[in-house]
Amino acid sequence: MGMMVSPEYGVSCMDTLSYVLAMEEISKIDASTSVCMSVNNSLVCWGIEKFGTEAQKQKYLIPLASGKKIGAFCLSEPEAGSDLRGMKASAQQDSNDWVLNGTKHFISHADIADFSIVFMATGEETTFRGPKKLITAFFVDKGTLGFEIRNGYKNVSHRGYTNSILEFTDCRIPKENILGEVNKGFEVANSWLGATRLQVAATCIGRAERAFEHSVNWAAN
């Protein structure tokens, strides 16, 4: 669950090639397991370790890397998937707290996650393409008042894991739960998603190899 974490936070300490090869092999056997592992590893290595405070690493990263906790990455919305800066879910500052409102969906295994890292619009800036949302990432623990997890959508495959719909209704969290900096969540997401393309490619190769093996066996018989 934390294969590439630094030595001070875990014991695996794999390099990138070793991690990619491991994900490829796991994906050959169970694609659902590889999805869960890839989400957790990305939370650990390219999310919390890179952008989190030391307190956040102690509270979230170490339990994730040891497999004692599960996390969820919450970005997609019903009307904002690939258009990250078109999101409608928002957070407003209220004294030392932030109040979250909105909906996220297609969130992998959020129903079993101990916490979610949620991206919310926290402002707006003018660009040459028009106004775009400024985004901030927040830790939201399961059970927080105003945070509801509902059943998501049926999958054609990946029956070993679920996706969920997340609803935030005046969900109040402390400022200490911000990952990175206020209004810098776009940089967090871009760095995060860019790095995870490697593991997506590795899982696709593993699944393709398994499909090829099935095809050869079927043709031979």
Side-chain angles (χ1 to χ4, degrees):
M1 289 300 191
M3 287 188 272
M4 292 179 63
V5 70
S6 297
E8 61 263 39
Y9 300 115
V11 295
S12 296
C13 310
M14 287 185 177
D15 59 21
T16 303
L17 178 59
S18 299
Y19 170 65
V20 168
L21 291 173
M23 292 305 302
E24 179 184 344
E25 291 302 313
I26 291 165
S27 299
K28 286 183 185 179
I29 307 303
D30 193 316
S32 297
T33 299
S34 72
V35 170
C36 181
M37 293 180 65
S38 66
V39 170
N40 231 58
N41 275 279
S42 64
L43 290 172
V44 168
C45 300
W46 296 302
I48 306 171
E49 184 168 7
K50 186 172 183 179
F51 296 100
T53 64
E54 187 58 35
Q56 290 169 345
K57 291 173 184 178
Q58 293 296 322
K59 182 177 180 180
Y60 296 106
L61 186 151
I62 292 176
L64 279 182
S66 66
K68 294 179 180 179
K69 286 189 176 182
I70 298 292
F73 178 84
C74 307
L75 187 62
S76 297
E77 297 183 5
E79 297 180 20
S82 58
D83 181 17
L84 174 60
R85 298 226 283 176
M87 67 171 56
K88 294 184 177 181
S90 65
Q92 300 290 329
Q93 189 170 12
D94 182 14
S95 188
N96 288 326
D97 295 338
W98 286 79
V99 181
L100 281 54
N101 284 283
T103 303
K104 300 290 180 179
H105 77 160
F106 283 127
I107 307 304
S108 298
H109 57 255
D111 56 331
I112 63 170
D114 297 281
F115 69 91
S116 299
I117 294 180
V118 184
F119 292 82
M120 292 280 184
T122 49
E124 192 172 82
E125 65 178 344
T126 301
T127 73
F128 69 94
R129 293 184 177 178
K132 294 290 184 179
K133 300 292 177 60
L134 294 169
I135 298 166
T136 304
F138 299 89
F139 290 96
V140 183
D141 295 316
K142 190 173 185 178
T144 300
L145 188 65
F147 175 32
E148 180 185 0
I149 302 172
R150 298 193 286 110
N151 292 335
Y153 314 103
K154 292 183 178 180
N155 302 299
V156 174
S157 59
H158 292 115
R159 289 174 293 177
Y161 92 109
T162 57
N163 66 80
S164 299
I165 299 169
L166 277 54
E167 298 282 0
F168 298 89
T169 307
D170 293 332
C171 178
R172 182 177 292 270
I173 61 172
K175 64 180 181 180
E176 290 79 12
N177 282 34
I178 292 174
L179 176 61
E181 299 179 42
V182 175
N183 294 334
K184 298 295 184 180
F186 186 67
E187 288 80 356
V188 175
N190 265 349
S191 173
W192 201 329
L193 293 173
T196 59
R197 297 309 92 186
L198 283 173
Q199 65 190 27
V200 171
T203 58
C204 290
I205 291 171
R207 297 177 201 186
E209 289 174 340
R210 180 69 178 274
F212 180 72
E213 291 173 1
H214 279 300
S215 300
V216 169
N217 291 335
W218 184 87
N221 294 322

